[in-house]
Amino acid sequence: MIEIAGHTYALDDPLVILVCVGAAALLLIFVLLIMAVRSAGRSVQMTAPLVQQISMLGQQVQQLGAGQEQLRGGLQTVSDTQANAQTQVIQTVEARLATVQQQMQDRLADNALRSARSLSEMQERMKETLHGSSKQTTTSLTQLQERLAAIDKAQDNITKLSGDVLSLQDILSNKQTRGAFGEIQLRDIVSKALPSDSFALQHTLSNGKRADCLVHLPNPPGPIVIDSKFPLEAYEALRAAETDWALKDAVAKMKTAVTKHITDISDKYIIEGETADGALMFLPSEAVYAELHANFPELVRKGFDARVWIVSPTTCMATLNTMRAILKDARMREQAGAIRSELSKLVTDVDRLGTRVGNLDRHFSQASKDIEEIKISADKAGKRAHRLDNFDFEELSPDDAGNVVPLAKSDV
């Protein structure tokens, strides 16, 4: 930067560079002029051309001075233009800054309003959420109290049920009470599956043996016995065995007890000519039934060979439903003769009704014929009466019977 007459000029400005070049040329001219003056003493002959050159150089210097003045005016104009442009730029920037500042203030105010509105809405939502949460918490606590009450009640029921289970174990531990329990369960199943007149409980047979239940089936197969006594001690020992030796001993006792029970049922309750050619051994436990079929199939086969069918509560119900179908079929066969007799009487009554309807039809036909003849006679009588009413003595004419009757004027 160069400062000349209170004006600052940049060194990279083209006008400044041009002025510098002009000043350098002027300086060079002066140097040449000095050199020319020095060389004037050496060569007088060269003075005239040198003077001309000096005069030309003077003119050029004047021209350079004029150019310098023009350059100075141009630089002044450029400086003024730059100052005006800078002023306008500053004013434009200040105006834009004011506009941006106003916009920023407006946006900040708008954002503040939005933030306040959002904060208010958020507070309302938080209030509603807290209110809803409080309500749900109250409801949940109420439901929790109800469930706790239900759990307490269920716990009381479980305690009572455990006492009942213990009493049931006491019942099953006694042989007599266990037999009574099996009889009660069998009676409940049979009473639900069969009509009351189709079975008998604690029925005494001809050999003096008392059957737990006797189902009165028709021949064949005939009345069949259901026994509800089962040696549960062997099964309990089998379940309680913890060593191989105890398990082996329990299995042997189980086979012996079940085999003896099958033999007793076959000997006591299968009587030729009185009962069916087989009997049912009722097991009051599905677990015992599953144990026999799963681990003791030879005992099941022995039962088949002895014609003793082993049933559980479920299979007993299915067997009794089959027996009910057999009883229903037998009763229908018993009523078949009466139905045929009634049908024969119905056919006779229908034939008699047909005969009587035919007689009535003939009576109606005869009566209809008599009515037609009566109508014909009435018509003839009416005609004759009409002729008598219009009697005329001018002309006589014989009638169909050969009698002479007067002719009416209408007949002439």
Side-chain angles (χ1 to χ4, degrees):
M1 301 293 293
I2 315 173
E3 186 175 355
I4 301 175
H7 295 285
T8 303
Y9 301 99
L11 295 177
D12 54 352
D13 194 323
L15 295 176
V16 174
I17 293 172
L18 184 60
V19 170
C20 292
V21 170
L26 184 59
L27 180 60
L28 180 61
I29 291 171
F30 282 118
V31 170
L32 292 175
L33 183 59
I34 292 170
M35 291 176 66
V37 171
R38 287 181 178 179
S39 61
R42 296 177 182 177
S43 178
V44 179
Q45 296 178 354
M46 296 176 63
T47 302
L50 184 58
V51 171
Q52 291 179 354
Q53 290 179 358
I54 290 172
S55 61
M56 292 176 64
L57 287 172
Q59 293 176 358
Q60 291 179 356
V61 168
Q62 290 179 357
Q63 292 177 358
L64 286 173
Q68 187 175 4
E69 290 296 330
Q70 292 178 358
L71 180 59
R72 184 179 297 172
L75 289 174
Q76 184 66 32
T77 303
V78 169
S79 176
D80 295 338
T81 303
Q82 284 184 348
N84 294 330
Q86 287 179 356
T87 303
Q88 291 179 357
V89 168
I90 290 170
Q91 292 176 355
T92 304
V93 169
E94 289 178 353
R96 289 184 179 179
L97 284 175
T99 304
V100 170
Q101 186 175 4
Q102 186 65 33
Q103 291 178 355
M104 287 294 293
Q105 290 178 355
D106 295 339
R107 289 182 181 179
L108 287 175
D110 191 12
N111 290 333
L113 290 174
R114 289 181 181 178
S115 298
R117 192 180 300 112
S118 299
L119 184 60
S120 177
E121 292 177 356
M122 187 178 296
Q123 288 177 352
E124 292 294 329
R125 291 178 183 175
M126 286 293 291
K127 288 181 181 179
E128 293 177 358
T129 304
L130 290 175
H131 182 66
S133 299
S134 176
K135 224 174 185 186
Q136 291 179 357
T137 303
T138 305
T139 306
S140 300
L141 288 175
T142 305
Q143 294 177 353
L144 182 59
Q145 290 178 354
E146 293 176 355
R147 291 178 181 176
L148 288 175
I151 290 172
D152 292 337
K153 188 176 180 181
Q155 189 173 2
D156 294 337
N157 293 330
I158 290 171
T159 305
K160 184 178 178 182
L161 183 61
S162 63
D164 295 338
V165 170
L166 291 176
S167 62
L168 180 61
Q169 288 179 354
D170 295 336
I171 291 173
L172 295 179
S173 62
N174 191 346
K175 186 175 182 180
Q176 293 180 352
T177 55
R178 184 173 65 246
F181 176 74
E183 292 175 5
I184 292 171
Q185 190 174 6
L186 177 62
R187 179 171 56 189
D188 184 55
I189 294 174
V190 172
S191 61
K192 289 181 179 178
L194 298 178
S196 59
D197 59 346
S198 61
F199 65 92
L201 298 173
Q202 300 300 320
H203 180 76
T204 303
L205 302 175
S206 61
N207 59 2
K209 303 299 180 182
R210 181 177 293 179
D212 294 328
C213 180
L214 180 68
V215 181
H216 302 294
L217 293 178
N219 287 316
I224 187 169
V225 175
I226 304 176
D227 182 79
S228 62
K229 303 177 187 68
F230 180 77
L232 194 61
E233 293 85 354
Y235 176 75
E236 291 178 348
L238 181 66
R239 293 293 91 194
E242 296 180 356
T243 62
D244 294 339
W245 181 84
L247 180 62
K248 186 177 180 180
D249 183 66
V251 168
K253 289 182 179 180
M254 181 77 172
K255 291 181 179 179
T256 302
V258 175
T259 302
K260 183 179 181 302
H261 192 56
I262 291 173
T263 304
D264 291 341
I265 292 174
S266 178
D267 294 338
K268 292 178 182 179
Y269 304 132
I270 300 177
I271 303 173
E272 187 176 357
E274 183 178 354
T275 62
D277 191 18
L280 297 179
M281 184 175 71
F282 176 72
L283 302 179
S285 174
E286 296 286 349
V288 179
Y289 179 82
E291 181 71 24
L292 288 178
H293 281 77
N295 299 320
F296 299 92
E298 67 277 5
L299 295 179
V300 179
R301 285 194 295 270
K302 285 182 180 180
F304 288 160
D305 295 338
R307 292 167 298 178
V308 176
W309 323 118
I310 302 173
V311 294
S312 66
T314 303
T315 56
C316 182
M317 179 62 74
T319 305
L320 292 175
N321 286 329
T322 305
M323 292 181 182
R324 183 174 61 184
I326 294 172
L327 290 171
K328 184 178 179 181
D329 184 64
R331 292 183 180 181
M332 289 181 65
R333 285 200 305 269
E334 290 176 359
Q335 299 297 327
I339 292 172
R340 289 196 191 92
S341 177
E342 293 297 328
L343 285 175
S344 178
K345 293 179 181 179
L346 180 61
V347 170
T348 303
D349 291 339
V350 171
D351 291 339
R352 188 182 295 112
L353 178 62
T355 301
R356 291 177 179 176
V357 169
N359 294 333
L360 183 61
D361 183 61
R362 285 196 300 272
H363 289 307
F364 275 121
S365 299
Q366 185 65 36
S368 177
K369 185 177 180 182
D370 294 340
I371 291 171
E372 290 294 333
E373 291 177 354
I374 291 171
K375 287 176 66 177
I376 293 172
S377 300
D379 290 339
K380 287 183 179 181
K383 289 180 180 180
R384 292 183 187 279
H386 185 67
R387 289 177 182 178
L388 289 173
D389 185 57
N390 295 316
F391 186 79
D392 189 359
F393 295 99
E394 294 180 356
E395 186 176 358
L396 296 175
S397 172
D399 60 359
D400 297 336
N403 299 321
V404 178
V405 296
L407 296 175
K409 292 181 181 180
S410 60
D411 295 333
V412 178

